[in-house]
Amino acid sequence: MRASTIMRWVTGLGEAFLAIPFLGGLYVMGSGYTFLGVMFVLHAITLILAIRDFSAKSGSIVGLVTSAIAWIPFLGWFMHAVSAVLLIIQAVTSRPKQHY
């Protein structure tokens, strides 16, 4: 499994946790919004790995946007849910490249 796929799973599951109504918001606010910064860095790492592997980048880009605007109530929840679904779908459908 490629590093970009592993990071998609990590960030996708992290976003899924943050998309849990009230619980995700309480966690973010309880961390002083630090967790949004951590997720931003993880999405940036995932994007770099996806570029290196020539694989899908949209999930990581949406994740970066989500981390930047997730402090807005309800919009943040919606964006976390969209990011989680997109990243998990990309993780499931990623295939290792065949070398000839």
Side-chain angles (χ1 to χ4, degrees), residues 31-63:
S31 72
Y33 294 89
T34 304
F35 198 68
L36 294 179
V38 170
M39 288 301 294
F40 187 89
V41 170
L42 291 175
H43 286 301
I45 292 168
T46 306
L47 179 60
I48 291 166
L49 293 172
I51 291 169
R52 184 192 69 178
D53 292 344
F54 300 102
S55 61
K57 298 166 221 28
S58 58
S60 298
I61 294 168
V62 171

Side-chain angles (χ1 to χ4, degrees), residues 51-96:
I51 291 169
R52 184 192 69 178
D53 292 344
F54 300 102
S55 61
K57 298 166 221 28
S58 58
S60 298
I61 294 168
V62 171
L64 288 168
V65 172
T66 298
S67 296
I69 65 168
W71 55 271
I72 302 170
F74 301 107
L75 178 61
W77 166 80
F78 177 75
M79 291 298 294
H80 283 305
V82 169
S83 297
V85 169
L86 189 56
L87 285 160
I88 291 170
I89 288 172
Q90 287 180 353
V92 168
T93 60
S94 69
R95 305 259 187 244

